[in-house]
Amino acid sequence: EVQVVESGGGLVQPGGSLRLSCAASGLSLSTYWMNWVRQAPGKGLEWVANIKQDGSEKYYVDSVKGRFTISRDSANNLVYLQTNSLRVEDTALYYCVRSRGWIMDVWGHGTTVTVSS
Amino acid sequence: DIVMTQSPDSLAVSLGERATINCKSSQSVLKSSNKNNFLAWFQHKPGQPPKLLISWASTRESGVPDRFSGSGSGTDFTLTISSLQAEDVAVYSCQQYYSNPLTFGGGTKVEIK
């Protein structure tokens, strides 16, 4: 079965950092665009970032540019989201999502990031 | 950025009746080169990750019941549940993958009347 599993979330103070990880089973992450999508409490889905198969292209939503960095470790079949200078409004459930072509088709169950003092 | 606007925010439908959800994009998501609409629909139930229902505006994913259908082109799209079942209670969101940043609609909550 193809699945992705996120980890690395937690409680952090404003201004802090977390590194979110995405591991996969049943698929090689390096053959797909990979995304991070988040959902804040009571809000809709928000795409955060994505990365091309070879890591040569990365895109971010404006609200996280300069603070978040997406990367991949193809040797270990992992994708990361480094989150720095966290704000209260970054509190959300963060999903790792595979893109089949352009289509986001395989979602993990998410990891929760809570930014609070 | 392409803004996706859904309506209504919520709707209550009787079991067996039709549910219709609308999604409008601020610019066309139809790529003229291949005549495809870069539009997907997701179903999101509490405690579960979103589930891809439909891609390319009208192509159902494998295993998705045929009571779910997508239609529309350009900037206006519709998700229809032809005969609502109890297990269809969820939030439904549209999403464009025409260009980065990828964007979602705000979601429509479907409940049983």
Side-chain angles (χ1 to χ4, degrees):
Chain A
E1 181 187 1
V2 172
Q3 60 178 1
V4 296
V5 179
E6 305 90 339
S7 60
L11 174 63
V12 62
Q13 292 187 335
S17 300
L18 285 172
R19 189 177 79 161
L20 308 184
S21 299
C22 173
S25 60
L27 77 153
S28 172
L29 295 182
S30 62
T31 60
Y32 298 93
W33 278 82
M34 294 299 298
N35 305 267
W36 287 94
V37 174
R38 66 184 179 184
Q39 184 171 32
K43 303 290 187 181
L45 297 166
E46 180 183 43
W47 171 83
V48 174
N50 60 14
I51 184 169
K52 193 176 180 179
Q53 289 90 330
D54 61 1
S56 63
E57 295 181 38
K58 305 174 184 181
Y59 299 93
Y60 301 90
V61 68
D62 281 351
S63 60
V64 309
K65 283 179 183 175
R67 301 188 299 122
F68 290 12
T69 303
I70 190 170
S71 62
R72 58 165 84 232
D73 176 356
S74 297
N76 292 294
N77 210 23
L78 294 165
V79 173
Y80 299 107
L81 186 69
Q82 178 67 43
T83 66
N84 298 330
S85 303
L86 282 163
R87 305 168 180 168
V88 170
E89 55 265 33
D90 295 318
T91 294
L93 180 62
Y94 284 73
Y95 295 101
C96 175
V97 189
R98 180 188 85 168
S99 279
R100 183 188 74 220
W102 293 271
I103 301 158
M104 292 193 279
D105 68 334
V106 177
W107 295 63
H109 279 79
T111 186
T112 299
V113 172
T114 303
V115 186
S116 175
S117 55
Chain B
D1 298 2
I2 299 176
V3 177
M4 308 300 290
T5 303
Q6 283 183 239
S7 62
D9 292 336
S10 64
L11 76 161
V13 175
S14 300
L15 288 172
E17 295 300 305
R18 179 185 300 260
T20 302
I21 300 167
N22 300 301
C23 174
K24 188 174 185 68
S25 56
S26 61
Q27 63 189 73
S28 177
V29 298
L30 172 65
K31 194 151 284 190
S32 55
S33 58
N34 56 19
K35 299 290 191 286
N36 283 328
N37 287 284
F38 285 55
L39 190 285
W41 287 97
F42 294 89
Q43 176 191 62
H44 197 181
K45 296 181 179 180
Q48 298 181 22
K51 176 185 176 182
L52 175 66
L53 295 178
I54 287 171
S55 58
W56 305 114
S58 60
T59 302
R60 262 190 313 274
E61 286 294 292
S62 175
V64 173
D66 61 7
R67 63 180 180 273
F68 291 92
S69 64
S71 62
S73 185
T75 62
D76 292 279
F77 301 91
T78 300
L79 175 69
T80 301
I81 309 172
S82 61
S83 176
L84 191 74
Q85 304 300 304
E87 61 266 31
D88 300 335
V89 169
V91 174
Y92 294 85
S93 299
C94 60
Q95 180 247 328
Q96 66 80 19
Y97 46 96
Y98 183 90
S99 64
N100 278 317
L102 308 180
T103 47
F104 290 87
T108 296
K109 187 175 185 179
V110 174
E111 299 173 308
I112 305 295
K113 185 187 292 182

